[in-house]
Amino acid sequence: MLARMTSEPEQQIGVGTPDAFQRLWTPHRMAYIQGENKPTGPGAGDGCPFCSIPEKSDEDGLIIARGASVYAVLNLYPYTGGHLMVVPFRHIADYTELTAEETIELAEYTKAAMTALRTASGAHGFNIGMNQGTVAGAGIAAHLHQHVVPRWGGDTNFMPVIGNTKVLPQLLADTRQLLADAWPKAQA
């Protein structure tokens, strides 16, 4: 038998004043805020996560697909579910430093990411882009990466707009598997 629902918040000792869900606990964000996994300098050997991710298994690194010069990986701090990045293996900071082959593969992997996201999640649209330099908002400016952020009609709700909080409906490992399965086979 179901417990009787009431409109009164349950009192829990030690959690503070009841606030009707005005406070959402997101302890995983503290790693990002404190700069966990941020490089200590601009070099490839300065703890660049984009250089160390390819050394891991696809599952452990959240890698969706690997090419000859780029790879697709889920963002650890996503704006929406399925937010991924296309990253060159080579440690470069600026788009103009890409070779012609790297530029082509980055573009092809971006297209494949869109296809996989549409297949796996029914994305209606995308925000695609890269922030070049710290002043432009790059969290890791020393290693080029292009964001592919899926969007859906009505996906902007009070959480990100008013609450400045993102709600992700799925674990990253599960999202990685769905996208890896949906990745176009010609690009794998």
Side-chain angles (χ1 to χ4, degrees):
M1 187 164 162
L2 295 174
R4 187 174 150 268
M5 300 293 288
T6 68
S7 60
E8 295 300 314
E10 179 182 335
Q11 288 288 345
Q12 294 181 2
I13 297 172
V15 298
T17 306
D19 60 8
F21 294 111
Q22 291 179 21
R23 177 182 347 169
L24 297 178
W25 299 105
T26 56
H28 61 281
R29 296 285 301 159
M30 190 53 70
Y32 180 75
I33 292 166
Q34 292 178 336
E36 187 175 299
N37 297 323
K38 284 266 189 163
T40 57
D46 293 330
C48 176
F50 295 134
C51 288
S52 63
I53 288 170
E55 297 169 2
K56 300 176 181 183
S57 70
D58 289 355
E59 291 78 12
D60 290 341
L62 298 175
I63 296 171
I64 299 161
R66 296 173 191 252
S69 58
V70 303
Y71 65 97
V73 62
L74 284 180
N75 190 322
L76 277 179
Y77 309 105
Y79 295 126
T80 65
H83 176 178
L84 63 87
M85 297 170 292
V86 179
V87 184
F89 288 112
R90 196 162 60 96
H91 185 84
I92 56 172
D94 198 85
Y95 186 74
T96 61
E97 296 176 59
L98 288 172
T99 65
E101 294 79 17
E102 288 169 330
T103 302
I104 290 167
E105 192 170 45
L106 187 129
E108 290 297 327
Y109 263 61
T110 300
K111 288 170 51 176
M114 293 172 66
T115 299
L117 285 161
R118 282 189 180 118
T119 300
S121 69
H124 299 151
F126 299 90
N127 293 120
I128 296 173
M130 54 183 83
N131 302 320
Q132 294 283 267
T134 306
V135 298
I140 299 175
H143 197 131
L144 180 77
H145 54 285
Q146 175 154 276
H147 295 265
V148 180
V149 183
R151 302 302 302 266
W152 298 267
D155 69 357
T156 301
N157 56 44
F158 82 96
M159 293 299 284
V161 174
I162 296 172
N164 197 25
T165 300
K166 285 108 181 158
V167 178
L168 302 175
Q170 189 172 51
L171 295 174
L172 290 176
D174 295 338
T175 301
R176 191 215 68 83
Q177 188 62 55
L178 281 173
L179 291 174
D181 292 344
W183 196 265
K185 298 306 174 211
Q187 294 294 323

